Amino acid sequence: MRAQSSATVPTSIAVVIPPKANTTGTLQAALGVVAFSLTFPATAWGLEGFGPWALVAVRSVLAALIAGGCLSALRIPVPERRHWTGLLVVGAGVVVGFPLLTTLALQTSTTAHAAVVVGLLPLTTALFSALRMGSRPSRTFWIAAFAGAVAVVAFTVQQSGGALTSADLYLFGALLVCAAGYTEGGRLARVMPGWQVIGWALVMCLPLTVPAAAVALSYEPVRLTAHSVAGLLWVAVGSQFLGLVVWYRGMAAIGIPKASQLQLAQPLLTLVWSVLLLGEHLTVAAPLTAAAVLVCIAVTQRARG
C-alpha cells in the first residue's frame, strides 16, 4: 500500500509539466517557421552573386563548420550507430535535397510561386509522420490541415497567375525530401537535443558538400555584393542551423503533426518578406488568406491526436 501511494506522486507532477512544455515547444517551432520564412528571399539574394550549386554547397559547409565547432567545443559524443541512418535521412532531406531543389527552382520561379511547396509541406509532413511513426491525429485535425493547405495553395497559385512552370518538378521533389527529413529529425529530437540532430546531419554531409563547394566555385562565377553575402549568411546560419535547432526542439515537444501545421503561416510570412526585401507586390487576397490560415492553425493546435 505504501508503494502504491508513493507511485502517485510522479503522476501528479506529469500533469503539470506538459502545458509548459507545450507552450515552449510551440514557441520554438514558431521561431523555426520565422527563420524558414526568410529562406526564399535570402536565397534570391544569394543567387545575385552565386551560382545555384555553389550557393547550396557553401551554405551547407558554413553551417557544418558552425555545428561541428559547437559539437567539438562541448565534447558531444558521436551518436550511436542505430541513429546514423536517421541522421543521413535528415541530411539528405534538409541539408542537401530541399536547399538544392528549391534553389534550382528559384532560378526561374518567383518566391511567391515557390511558396506553394511550403504551403503543402505541413500536410505532407503529417502524412510522413503517420506512416513513419504511427501517429493518428483526429479527424478534426485532418480537416483543418487540408483546409489550411488548400487556402495556401490557392493563394500562392493565384499569385503566380495560375500557370505551372518547369520549376514545379523541383518544388514537388523538395516537398517530399523535406517532409521526410522533418519527420526523421523530429523523431531523433526525442532521444537527443534538436541542435545535435541537425549538427550531426550537417557534419555527416561534409564529405559530399566540401568537394561539391570546391567544384561549384571553380565553375560558377562569384560576384560578392551586400545582398549575396547577406543571403548566403542567412541561409547558412539562420535557415540551415539555428532555425532547424529550434524547429526540431519544438517538434519533439509538441509532436510532428501539430508542429508541422504552424508552417501553414510560412508562405504568407515569405510573401511579406518578399515585398519588403525583393519589392514583389501582393494582392488584397493576402489578409483574407492569412485570416483563414490562422483559424486552421488554431484548430489543429487544439485538436487532439
Side-chain angles (χ1 to χ4, degrees):
M1 294 294 292
R2 190 172 296 175
Q4 289 179 349
S5 176
S6 61
T8 61
V9 176
T11 303
S12 63
I13 296 176
V15 174
V16 177
I17 294 177
K20 245 183 226 187
N22 187 67
T23 301
T24 303
T26 301
L27 177 60
Q28 290 172 331
L31 289 175
V33 170
V34 173
F36 299 153
S37 71
L38 280 161
T39 300
F40 286 173
T43 299
W45 273 9
L47 287 172
E48 293 180 13
F50 296 90
W53 295 88
L55 180 61
V56 172
V58 172
R59 72 180 268 185
S60 297
V61 171
L62 289 178
L65 292 176
I66 296 173
C70 294
L71 292 169
S72 177
L74 296 175
R75 298 182 179 181
I76 305 298
V78 176
E80 299 176 22
R81 292 180 67 91
R82 61 192 177 96
H83 298 316
W84 289 8
T85 300
L87 289 170
L88 287 174
V89 173
V90 174
V94 302
V95 175
V96 178
F98 186 78
L100 176 60
L101 292 171
T102 54
T103 299
L104 292 173
L106 284 171
Q107 288 188 289
T108 56
S109 173
T110 64
T111 56
H113 187 79
V116 171
V117 69
V118 182
L120 293 174
L121 188 56
L123 180 58
T124 309
T125 302
L127 288 171
F128 268 71
S129 173
L131 293 173
R132 176 69 176 89
M133 304 176 65
S135 59
R136 294 292 182 270
S138 66
R139 181 179 299 179
T140 301
F141 178 96
W142 285 116
I143 292 174
F146 273 106
V150 168
V152 171
V153 170
F155 176 68
T156 50
V157 169
Q158 185 271 335
Q159 287 289 293
S160 66
L164 297 178
T165 68
S166 59
D168 288 325
L169 291 177
Y170 290 132
L171 294 171
F172 288 130
L175 171 69
L176 295 177
V177 298
C178 189
Y182 278 175
T183 299
E184 201 63 23
R187 183 187 69 81
L188 288 172
R190 294 179 176 180
V191 296
M192 67 178 76
W195 75 272
Q196 292 182 26
V197 173
I198 185 58
W200 285 116
L202 285 163
V203 170
M204 292 176 73
C205 289
L206 277 175
L208 174 64
T209 55
V210 169
V215 173
L217 288 172
S218 65
Y219 279 92
E220 294 179 339
V222 175
R223 187 169 61 90
L224 297 180
T225 64
H227 276 185
S228 64
V229 173
L232 171 62
L233 290 177
W234 180 260
V235 294
V237 180
S239 302
Q240 194 80 79
F241 184 59
L242 296 180
L244 285 168
V245 168
V246 293
W247 174 244
Y248 282 140
R249 287 176 62 90
M251 282 199 296
I254 65 177
I256 296 173
K258 286 189 176 182
S260 68
Q261 298 315 302
L262 290 173
Q263 281 195 305
L264 287 170
Q266 185 174 326
L268 302 176
L269 288 173
T270 297
L271 291 171
V272 172
W273 297 127
S274 298
V275 171
L276 297 176
L277 302 177
L278 303 177
E280 294 185 5
H281 300 284
L282 300 182
T283 67
V284 292
L288 296 178
T289 308
V293 168
L294 289 176
V295 170
C296 291
I297 292 176
V299 172
T300 58
Q301 294 301 296
R302 291 180 177 275
R304 296 186 178 216

PDB file of all heavy atoms in Angstrom, residues 30-70:
ATOM      1  N   ALA A  30       7.555  27.905 -33.709  1.00  0.00           N
ATOM      2  CA  ALA A  30       7.183  29.145 -34.382  1.00  0.00           C
ATOM      3  C   ALA A  30       8.423  29.954 -34.772  1.00  0.00           C
ATOM      4  O   ALA A  30       8.476  30.549 -35.859  1.00  0.00           O
ATOM      5  CB  ALA A  30       6.268  29.982 -33.484  1.00  0.00           C
ATOM      6  N   LEU A  31       9.423  29.986 -33.904  1.00  0.00           N
ATOM      7  CA  LEU A  31      10.678  30.672 -34.243  1.00  0.00           C
ATOM      8  C   LEU A  31      11.344  30.017 -35.451  1.00  0.00           C
ATOM      9  O   LEU A  31      11.918  30.696 -36.306  1.00  0.00           O
ATOM     10  CB  LEU A  31      11.627  30.656 -33.043  1.00  0.00           C
ATOM     11  CG  LEU A  31      11.247  31.555 -31.863  1.00  0.00           C
ATOM     12  CD1 LEU A  31      12.211  31.338 -30.691  1.00  0.00           C
ATOM     13  CD2 LEU A  31      11.252  33.026 -32.280  1.00  0.00           C
ATOM     14  N   GLY A  32      11.260  28.689 -35.509  1.00  0.00           N
ATOM     15  CA  GLY A  32      11.788  27.988 -36.670  1.00  0.00           C
ATOM     16  C   GLY A  32      11.072  28.395 -37.944  1.00  0.00           C
ATOM     17  O   GLY A  32      11.701  28.609 -38.987  1.00  0.00           O
ATOM     18  N   VAL A  33       9.751  28.537 -37.870  1.00  0.00           N
ATOM     19  CA  VAL A  33       8.965  28.945 -39.035  1.00  0.00           C
ATOM     20  C   VAL A  33       9.373  30.345 -39.494  1.00  0.00           C
ATOM     21  O   VAL A  33       9.504  30.612 -40.702  1.00  0.00           O
ATOM     22  CB  VAL A  33       7.463  28.895 -38.712  1.00  0.00           C
ATOM     23  CG1 VAL A  33       6.639  29.559 -39.821  1.00  0.00           C
ATOM     24  CG2 VAL A  33       7.016  27.447 -38.540  1.00  0.00           C
ATOM     25  N   VAL A  34       9.577  31.264 -38.553  1.00  0.00           N
ATOM     26  CA  VAL A  34      10.009  32.619 -38.909  1.00  0.00           C
ATOM     27  C   VAL A  34      11.363  32.572 -39.620  1.00  0.00           C
ATOM     28  O   VAL A  34      11.577  33.250 -40.638  1.00  0.00           O
ATOM     29  CB  VAL A  34      10.082  33.510 -37.656  1.00  0.00           C
ATOM     30  CG1 VAL A  34      10.696  34.873 -38.010  1.00  0.00           C
ATOM     31  CG2 VAL A  34       8.697  33.709 -37.043  1.00  0.00           C
ATOM     32  N   ALA A  35      12.279  31.766 -39.091  1.00  0.00           N
ATOM     33  CA  ALA A  35      13.593  31.643 -39.732  1.00  0.00           C
ATOM     34  C   ALA A  35      13.461  31.066 -41.134  1.00  0.00           C
ATOM     35  O   ALA A  35      14.084  31.557 -42.085  1.00  0.00           O
ATOM     36  CB  ALA A  35      14.506  30.757 -38.875  1.00  0.00           C
ATOM     37  N   PHE A  36      12.616  30.047 -41.292  1.00  0.00           N
ATOM     38  CA  PHE A  36      12.443  29.419 -42.600  1.00  0.00           C
ATOM     39  C   PHE A  36      11.759  30.356 -43.592  1.00  0.00           C
ATOM     40  O   PHE A  36      11.992  30.273 -44.798  1.00  0.00           O
ATOM     41  CB  PHE A  36      11.612  28.142 -42.477  1.00  0.00           C
ATOM     42  CG  PHE A  36      12.242  27.093 -41.595  1.00  0.00           C
ATOM     43  CD1 PHE A  36      11.449  26.165 -40.935  1.00  0.00           C
ATOM     44  CD2 PHE A  36      13.616  27.031 -41.416  1.00  0.00           C
ATOM     45  CE1 PHE A  36      12.023  25.192 -40.122  1.00  0.00           C
ATOM     46  CE2 PHE A  36      14.195  26.068 -40.599  1.00  0.00           C
ATOM     47  CZ  PHE A  36      13.394  25.145 -39.948  1.00  0.00           C
ATOM     48  N   SER A  37      10.884  31.242 -43.078  1.00  0.00           N
ATOM     49  CA  SER A  37      10.145  32.132 -43.976  1.00  0.00           C
ATOM     50  C   SER A  37      11.069  33.094 -44.715  1.00  0.00           C
ATOM     51  O   SER A  37      10.702  33.621 -45.769  1.00  0.00           O
ATOM     52  CB  SER A  37       9.090  32.917 -43.186  1.00  0.00           C
ATOM     53  OG  SER A  37       9.697  33.892 -42.339  1.00  0.00           O
ATOM     54  N   LEU A  38      12.247  33.318 -44.181  1.00  0.00           N
ATOM     55  CA  LEU A  38      13.223  34.195 -44.827  1.00  0.00           C
ATOM     56  C   LEU A  38      14.123  33.453 -45.810  1.00  0.00           C
ATOM     57  O   LEU A  38      14.924  34.077 -46.497  1.00  0.00           O
ATOM     58  CB  LEU A  38      14.096  34.873 -43.763  1.00  0.00           C
ATOM     59  CG  LEU A  38      13.488  36.086 -43.059  1.00  0.00           C
ATOM     60  CD1 LEU A  38      14.211  36.361 -41.745  1.00  0.00           C
ATOM     61  CD2 LEU A  38      13.548  37.315 -43.965  1.00  0.00           C
ATOM     62  N   THR A  39      13.976  32.138 -45.893  1.00  0.00           N
ATOM     63  CA  THR A  39      14.893  31.348 -46.709  1.00  0.00           C
ATOM     64  C   THR A  39      14.800  31.688 -48.186  1.00  0.00           C
ATOM     65  O   THR A  39      15.829  31.889 -48.850  1.00  0.00           O
ATOM     66  CB  THR A  39      14.624  29.843 -46.507  1.00  0.00           C
ATOM     67  OG1 THR A  39      14.817  29.513 -45.129  1.00  0.00           O
ATOM     68  CG2 THR A  39      15.576  29.015 -47.354  1.00  0.00           C
ATOM     69  N   PHE A  40      13.591  31.747 -48.737  1.00  0.00           N
ATOM     70  CA  PHE A  40      13.447  32.017 -50.171  1.00  0.00           C
ATOM     71  C   PHE A  40      13.936  33.419 -50.550  1.00  0.00           C
ATOM     72  O   PHE A  40      14.688  33.561 -51.523  1.00  0.00           O
ATOM     73  CB  PHE A  40      11.996  31.811 -50.604  1.00  0.00           C
ATOM     74  CG  PHE A  40      11.590  30.356 -50.691  1.00  0.00           C
ATOM     75  CD1 PHE A  40      10.281  29.998 -50.923  1.00  0.00           C
ATOM     76  CD2 PHE A  40      12.527  29.341 -50.538  1.00  0.00           C
ATOM     77  CE1 PHE A  40       9.901  28.663 -51.003  1.00  0.00           C
ATOM     78  CE2 PHE A  40      12.173  28.004 -50.612  1.00  0.00           C
ATOM     79  CZ  PHE A  40      10.853  27.665 -50.846  1.00  0.00           C
ATOM     80  N   PRO A  41      13.536  34.483 -49.827  1.00  0.00           N
ATOM     81  CA  PRO A  41      14.093  35.794 -50.154  1.00  0.00           C
ATOM     82  C   PRO A  41      15.617  35.839 -50.000  1.00  0.00           C
ATOM     83  O   PRO A  41      16.308  36.445 -50.821  1.00  0.00           O
ATOM     84  CB  PRO A  41      13.407  36.729 -49.150  1.00  0.00           C
ATOM     85  CG  PRO A  41      12.129  36.043 -48.819  1.00  0.00           C
ATOM     86  CD  PRO A  41      12.458  34.588 -48.814  1.00  0.00           C
ATOM     87  N   ALA A  42      16.151  35.188 -48.952  1.00  0.00           N
ATOM     88  CA  ALA A  42      17.600  35.160 -48.765  1.00  0.00           C
ATOM     89  C   ALA A  42      18.280  34.389 -49.890  1.00  0.00           C
ATOM     90  O   ALA A  42      19.372  34.765 -50.356  1.00  0.00           O
ATOM     91  CB  ALA A  42      17.950  34.540 -47.409  1.00  0.00           C
ATOM     92  N   THR A  43      17.645  33.315 -50.346  1.00  0.00           N
ATOM     93  CA  THR A  43      18.195  32.554 -51.466  1.00  0.00           C
ATOM     94  C   THR A  43      18.214  33.405 -52.732  1.00  0.00           C
ATOM     95  O   THR A  43      19.180  33.363 -53.509  1.00  0.00           O
ATOM     96  CB  THR A  43      17.369  31.273 -51.701  1.00  0.00           C
ATOM     97  OG1 THR A  43      17.426  30.455 -50.528  1.00  0.00           O
ATOM     98  CG2 THR A  43      17.912  30.485 -52.881  1.00  0.00           C
ATOM     99  N   ALA A  44      17.141  34.166 -52.950  1.00  0.00           N
ATOM    100  CA  ALA A  44      17.093  35.063 -54.111  1.00  0.00           C
ATOM    101  C   ALA A  44      18.227  36.077 -54.052  1.00  0.00           C
ATOM    102  O   ALA A  44      18.859  36.389 -55.075  1.00  0.00           O
ATOM    103  CB  ALA A  44      15.739  35.767 -54.179  1.00  0.00           C
ATOM    104  N   TRP A  45      18.498  36.603 -52.868  1.00  0.00           N
ATOM    105  CA  TRP A  45      19.645  37.494 -52.704  1.00  0.00           C
ATOM    106  C   TRP A  45      20.950  36.767 -53.008  1.00  0.00           C
ATOM    107  O   TRP A  45      21.820  37.290 -53.702  1.00  0.00           O
ATOM    108  CB  TRP A  45      19.674  38.029 -51.270  1.00  0.00           C
ATOM    109  CG  TRP A  45      18.847  39.271 -51.076  1.00  0.00           C
ATOM    110  CD1 TRP A  45      17.977  39.831 -51.963  1.00  0.00           C
ATOM    111  CD2 TRP A  45      18.842  40.106 -49.914  1.00  0.00           C
ATOM    112  NE1 TRP A  45      17.406  40.949 -51.433  1.00  0.00           N
ATOM    113  CE2 TRP A  45      17.918  41.156 -50.177  1.00  0.00           C
ATOM    114  CE3 TRP A  45      19.492  40.070 -48.693  1.00  0.00           C
ATOM    115  CZ2 TRP A  45      17.654  42.158 -49.252  1.00  0.00           C
ATOM    116  CZ3 TRP A  45      19.221  41.069 -47.759  1.00  0.00           C
ATOM    117  CH2 TRP A  45      18.324  42.097 -48.037  1.00  0.00           C
ATOM    118  N   GLY A  46      21.093  35.565 -52.463  1.00  0.00           N
ATOM    119  CA  GLY A  46      22.312  34.810 -52.670  1.00  0.00           C
ATOM    120  C   GLY A  46      22.578  34.515 -54.133  1.00  0.00           C
ATOM    121  O   GLY A  46      23.731  34.531 -54.585  1.00  0.00           O
ATOM    122  N   LEU A  47      21.510  34.261 -54.902  1.00  0.00           N
ATOM    123  CA  LEU A  47      21.669  33.968 -56.324  1.00  0.00           C
ATOM    124  C   LEU A  47      22.129  35.174 -57.129  1.00  0.00           C
ATOM    125  O   LEU A  47      22.513  35.020 -58.291  1.00  0.00           O
ATOM    126  CB  LEU A  47      20.342  33.438 -56.892  1.00  0.00           C
ATOM    127  CG  LEU A  47      19.975  32.002 -56.478  1.00  0.00           C
ATOM    128  CD1 LEU A  47      18.557  31.668 -56.925  1.00  0.00           C
ATOM    129  CD2 LEU A  47      20.973  31.008 -57.045  1.00  0.00           C
ATOM    130  N   GLU A  48      22.090  36.367 -56.531  1.00  0.00           N
ATOM    131  CA  GLU A  48      22.614  37.548 -57.216  1.00  0.00           C
ATOM    132  C   GLU A  48      24.129  37.485 -57.368  1.00  0.00           C
ATOM    133  O   GLU A  48      24.696  38.129 -58.260  1.00  0.00           O
ATOM    134  CB  GLU A  48      22.230  38.820 -56.454  1.00  0.00           C
ATOM    135  CG  GLU A  48      20.731  39.117 -56.444  1.00  0.00           C
ATOM    136  CD  GLU A  48      20.403  40.385 -55.670  1.00  0.00           C
ATOM    137  OE1 GLU A  48      21.351  41.148 -55.356  1.00  0.00           O
ATOM    138  OE2 GLU A  48      19.213  40.618 -55.383  1.00  0.00           O
ATOM    139  N   GLY A  49      24.792  36.708 -56.492  1.00  0.00           N
ATOM    140  CA  GLY A  49      26.253  36.663 -56.546  1.00  0.00           C
ATOM    141  C   GLY A  49      26.839  35.273 -56.653  1.00  0.00           C
ATOM    142  O   GLY A  49      28.046  35.126 -56.894  1.00  0.00           O
ATOM    143  N   PHE A  50      26.012  34.229 -56.453  1.00  0.00           N
ATOM    144  CA  PHE A  50      26.497  32.851 -56.503  1.00  0.00           C
ATOM    145  C   PHE A  50      25.651  32.032 -57.466  1.00  0.00           C
ATOM    146  O   PHE A  50      24.458  32.303 -57.649  1.00  0.00           O
ATOM    147  CB  PHE A  50      26.439  32.200 -55.112  1.00  0.00           C
ATOM    148  CG  PHE A  50      27.337  32.823 -54.094  1.00  0.00           C
ATOM    149  CD1 PHE A  50      26.882  33.873 -53.306  1.00  0.00           C
ATOM    150  CD2 PHE A  50      28.639  32.368 -53.906  1.00  0.00           C
ATOM    151  CE1 PHE A  50      27.708  34.462 -52.350  1.00  0.00           C
ATOM    152  CE2 PHE A  50      29.465  32.945 -52.959  1.00  0.00           C
ATOM    153  CZ  PHE A  50      29.002  34.000 -52.180  1.00  0.00           C
ATOM    154  N   GLY A  51      26.270  31.017 -58.058  1.00  0.00           N
ATOM    155  CA  GLY A  51      25.510  30.053 -58.832  1.00  0.00           C
ATOM    156  C   GLY A  51      24.719  29.160 -57.894  1.00  0.00           C
ATOM    157  O   GLY A  51      25.030  29.074 -56.702  1.00  0.00           O
ATOM    158  N   PRO A  52      23.695  28.470 -58.396  1.00  0.00           N
ATOM    159  CA  PRO A  52      22.837  27.659 -57.523  1.00  0.00           C
ATOM    160  C   PRO A  52      23.581  26.534 -56.811  1.00  0.00           C
ATOM    161  O   PRO A  52      23.349  26.285 -55.624  1.00  0.00           O
ATOM    162  CB  PRO A  52      21.779  27.109 -58.483  1.00  0.00           C
ATOM    163  CG  PRO A  52      22.402  27.188 -59.840  1.00  0.00           C
ATOM    164  CD  PRO A  52      23.268  28.405 -59.803  1.00  0.00           C
ATOM    165  N   TRP A  53      24.478  25.851 -57.517  1.00  0.00           N
ATOM    166  CA  TRP A  53      25.201  24.744 -56.900  1.00  0.00           C
ATOM    167  C   TRP A  53      26.191  25.252 -55.851  1.00  0.00           C
ATOM    168  O   TRP A  53      26.333  24.664 -54.777  1.00  0.00           O
ATOM    169  CB  TRP A  53      25.931  23.921 -57.957  1.00  0.00           C
ATOM    170  CG  TRP A  53      25.001  23.227 -58.894  1.00  0.00           C
ATOM    171  CD1 TRP A  53      24.481  23.734 -60.068  1.00  0.00           C
ATOM    172  CD2 TRP A  53      24.433  21.925 -58.740  1.00  0.00           C
ATOM    173  NE1 TRP A  53      23.629  22.815 -60.653  1.00  0.00           N
ATOM    174  CE2 TRP A  53      23.586  21.688 -59.864  1.00  0.00           C
ATOM    175  CE3 TRP A  53      24.559  20.926 -57.777  1.00  0.00           C
ATOM    176  CZ2 TRP A  53      22.877  20.511 -60.040  1.00  0.00           C
ATOM    177  CZ3 TRP A  53      23.854  19.735 -57.957  1.00  0.00           C
ATOM    178  CH2 TRP A  53      23.029  19.543 -59.061  1.00  0.00           C
ATOM    179  N   ALA A  54      26.860  26.356 -56.162  1.00  0.00           N
ATOM    180  CA  ALA A  54      27.816  26.927 -55.205  1.00  0.00           C
ATOM    181  C   ALA A  54      27.095  27.437 -53.963  1.00  0.00           C
ATOM    182  O   ALA A  54      27.557  27.240 -52.835  1.00  0.00           O
ATOM    183  CB  ALA A  54      28.604  28.063 -55.858  1.00  0.00           C
ATOM    184  N   LEU A  55      25.949  28.076 -54.150  1.00  0.00           N
ATOM    185  CA  LEU A  55      25.211  28.627 -53.008  1.00  0.00           C
ATOM    186  C   LEU A  55      24.791  27.518 -52.052  1.00  0.00           C
ATOM    187  O   LEU A  55      24.958  27.642 -50.832  1.00  0.00           O
ATOM    188  CB  LEU A  55      23.979  29.386 -53.515  1.00  0.00           C
ATOM    189  CG  LEU A  55      23.085  30.024 -52.444  1.00  0.00           C
ATOM    190  CD1 LEU A  55      23.858  31.059 -51.643  1.00  0.00           C
ATOM    191  CD2 LEU A  55      21.846  30.656 -53.086  1.00  0.00           C
ATOM    192  N   VAL A  56      24.264  26.429 -52.594  1.00  0.00           N
ATOM    193  CA  VAL A  56      23.807  25.319 -51.751  1.00  0.00           C
ATOM    194  C   VAL A  56      24.976  24.652 -51.043  1.00  0.00           C
ATOM    195  O   VAL A  56      24.925  24.375 -49.834  1.00  0.00           O
ATOM    196  CB  VAL A  56      23.031  24.285 -52.590  1.00  0.00           C
ATOM    197  CG1 VAL A  56      22.724  23.041 -51.762  1.00  0.00           C
ATOM    198  CG2 VAL A  56      21.740  24.892 -53.119  1.00  0.00           C
ATOM    199  N   ALA A  57      26.058  24.390 -51.773  1.00  0.00           N
ATOM    200  CA  ALA A  57      27.200  23.688 -51.184  1.00  0.00           C
ATOM    201  C   ALA A  57      27.891  24.539 -50.125  1.00  0.00           C
ATOM    202  O   ALA A  57      28.220  24.058 -49.035  1.00  0.00           O
ATOM    203  CB  ALA A  57      28.192  23.293 -52.276  1.00  0.00           C
ATOM    204  N   VAL A  58      28.110  25.817 -50.428  1.00  0.00           N
ATOM    205  CA  VAL A  58      28.797  26.690 -49.479  1.00  0.00           C
ATOM    206  C   VAL A  58      27.965  26.905 -48.225  1.00  0.00           C
ATOM    207  O   VAL A  58      28.497  26.919 -47.107  1.00  0.00           O
ATOM    208  CB  VAL A  58      29.157  28.041 -50.145  1.00  0.00           C
ATOM    209  CG1 VAL A  58      29.699  29.025 -49.111  1.00  0.00           C
ATOM    210  CG2 VAL A  58      30.179  27.839 -51.245  1.00  0.00           C
ATOM    211  N   ARG A  59      26.659  27.074 -48.369  1.00  0.00           N
ATOM    212  CA  ARG A  59      25.805  27.269 -47.189  1.00  0.00           C
ATOM    213  C   ARG A  59      25.868  26.052 -46.283  1.00  0.00           C
ATOM    214  O   ARG A  59      25.903  26.179 -45.064  1.00  0.00           O
ATOM    215  CB  ARG A  59      24.356  27.567 -47.589  1.00  0.00           C
ATOM    216  CG  ARG A  59      23.592  26.404 -48.153  1.00  0.00           C
ATOM    217  CD  ARG A  59      22.157  26.732 -48.549  1.00  0.00           C
ATOM    218  NE  ARG A  59      21.237  26.480 -47.440  1.00  0.00           N
ATOM    219  CZ  ARG A  59      19.916  26.599 -47.542  1.00  0.00           C
ATOM    220  NH1 ARG A  59      19.360  26.984 -48.669  1.00  0.00           N
ATOM    221  NH2 ARG A  59      19.144  26.346 -46.507  1.00  0.00           N
ATOM    222  N   SER A  60      25.901  24.863 -46.862  1.00  0.00           N
ATOM    223  CA  SER A  60      25.959  23.641 -46.066  1.00  0.00           C
ATOM    224  C   SER A  60      27.300  23.507 -45.357  1.00  0.00           C
ATOM    225  O   SER A  60      27.349  23.093 -44.187  1.00  0.00           O
ATOM    226  CB  SER A  60      25.715  22.418 -46.960  1.00  0.00           C
ATOM    227  OG  SER A  60      24.419  22.461 -47.528  1.00  0.00           O
ATOM    228  N   VAL A  61      28.375  23.877 -46.049  1.00  0.00           N
ATOM    229  CA  VAL A  61      29.707  23.796 -45.437  1.00  0.00           C
ATOM    230  C   VAL A  61      29.820  24.783 -44.279  1.00  0.00           C
ATOM    231  O   VAL A  61      30.316  24.440 -43.195  1.00  0.00           O
ATOM    232  CB  VAL A  61      30.807  24.062 -46.480  1.00  0.00           C
ATOM    233  CG1 VAL A  61      32.172  24.199 -45.811  1.00  0.00           C
ATOM    234  CG2 VAL A  61      30.846  22.925 -47.507  1.00  0.00           C
ATOM    235  N   LEU A  62      29.374  26.014 -44.491  1.00  0.00           N
ATOM    236  CA  LEU A  62      29.437  27.017 -43.423  1.00  0.00           C
ATOM    237  C   LEU A  62      28.620  26.579 -42.207  1.00  0.00           C
ATOM    238  O   LEU A  62      29.079  26.691 -41.061  1.00  0.00           O
ATOM    239  CB  LEU A  62      28.922  28.364 -43.935  1.00  0.00           C
ATOM    240  CG  LEU A  62      29.805  29.110 -44.936  1.00  0.00           C
ATOM    241  CD1 LEU A  62      29.126  30.399 -45.390  1.00  0.00           C
ATOM    242  CD2 LEU A  62      31.170  29.420 -44.331  1.00  0.00           C
ATOM    243  N   ALA A  63      27.413  26.089 -42.443  1.00  0.00           N
ATOM    244  CA  ALA A  63      26.572  25.630 -41.340  1.00  0.00           C
ATOM    245  C   ALA A  63      27.220  24.443 -40.624  1.00  0.00           C
ATOM    246  O   ALA A  63      27.162  24.340 -39.392  1.00  0.00           O
ATOM    247  CB  ALA A  63      25.188  25.245 -41.853  1.00  0.00           C
ATOM    248  N   ALA A  64      27.850  23.553 -41.386  1.00  0.00           N
ATOM    249  CA  ALA A  64      28.501  22.383 -40.792  1.00  0.00           C
ATOM    250  C   ALA A  64      29.699  22.792 -39.940  1.00  0.00           C
ATOM    251  O   ALA A  64      29.966  22.183 -38.895  1.00  0.00           O
ATOM    252  CB  ALA A  64      28.942  21.415 -41.886  1.00  0.00           C
ATOM    253  N   LEU A  65      30.437  23.804 -40.373  1.00  0.00           N
ATOM    254  CA  LEU A  65      31.578  24.276 -39.583  1.00  0.00           C
ATOM    255  C   LEU A  65      31.112  24.849 -38.250  1.00  0.00           C
ATOM    256  O   LEU A  65      31.741  24.621 -37.206  1.00  0.00           O
ATOM    257  CB  LEU A  65      32.358  25.333 -40.372  1.00  0.00           C
ATOM    258  CG  LEU A  65      33.101  24.828 -41.617  1.00  0.00           C
ATOM    259  CD1 LEU A  65      33.747  25.995 -42.352  1.00  0.00           C
ATOM    260  CD2 LEU A  65      34.152  23.789 -41.230  1.00  0.00           C
ATOM    261  N   ILE A  66      30.008  25.602 -38.265  1.00  0.00           N
ATOM    262  CA  ILE A  66      29.462  26.147 -37.020  1.00  0.00           C
ATOM    263  C   ILE A  66      28.983  25.016 -36.114  1.00  0.00           C
ATOM    264  O   ILE A  66      29.295  24.971 -34.917  1.00  0.00           O
ATOM    265  CB  ILE A  66      28.310  27.114 -37.321  1.00  0.00           C
ATOM    266  CG1 ILE A  66      28.818  28.321 -38.112  1.00  0.00           C
ATOM    267  CG2 ILE A  66      27.641  27.567 -36.026  1.00  0.00           C
ATOM    268  CD1 ILE A  66      27.717  29.235 -38.604  1.00  0.00           C
ATOM    269  N   ALA A  67      28.227  24.090 -36.707  1.00  0.00           N
ATOM    270  CA  ALA A  67      27.702  22.968 -35.926  1.00  0.00           C
ATOM    271  C   ALA A  67      28.829  22.097 -35.394  1.00  0.00           C
ATOM    272  O   ALA A  67      28.820  21.689 -34.223  1.00  0.00           O
ATOM    273  CB  ALA A  67      26.765  22.131 -36.803  1.00  0.00           C
ATOM    274  N   GLY A  68      29.801  21.806 -36.252  1.00  0.00           N
ATOM    275  CA  GLY A  68      30.927  20.983 -35.820  1.00  0.00           C
ATOM    276  C   GLY A  68      31.724  21.637 -34.716  1.00  0.00           C
ATOM    277  O   GLY A  68      32.189  20.964 -33.780  1.00  0.00           O
ATOM    278  N   GLY A  69      31.883  22.961 -34.797  1.00  0.00           N
ATOM    279  CA  GLY A  69      32.588  23.681 -33.741  1.00  0.00           C
ATOM    280  C   GLY A  69      31.869  23.582 -32.411  1.00  0.00           C
ATOM    281  O   GLY A  69      32.498  23.392 -31.368  1.00  0.00           O
ATOM    282  N   CYS A  70      30.547  23.700 -32.446  1.00  0.00           N
ATOM    283  CA  CYS A  70      29.759  23.576 -31.214  1.00  0.00           C
ATOM    284  C   CYS A  70      29.846  22.166 -30.641  1.00  0.00           C
ATOM    285  O   CYS A  70      30.020  21.978 -29.430  1.00  0.00           O
ATOM    286  CB  CYS A  70      28.302  23.927 -31.493  1.00  0.00           C
ATOM    287  SG  CYS A  70      28.011  25.661 -31.941  1.00  0.00           S
TER     288      CYS A  70
END
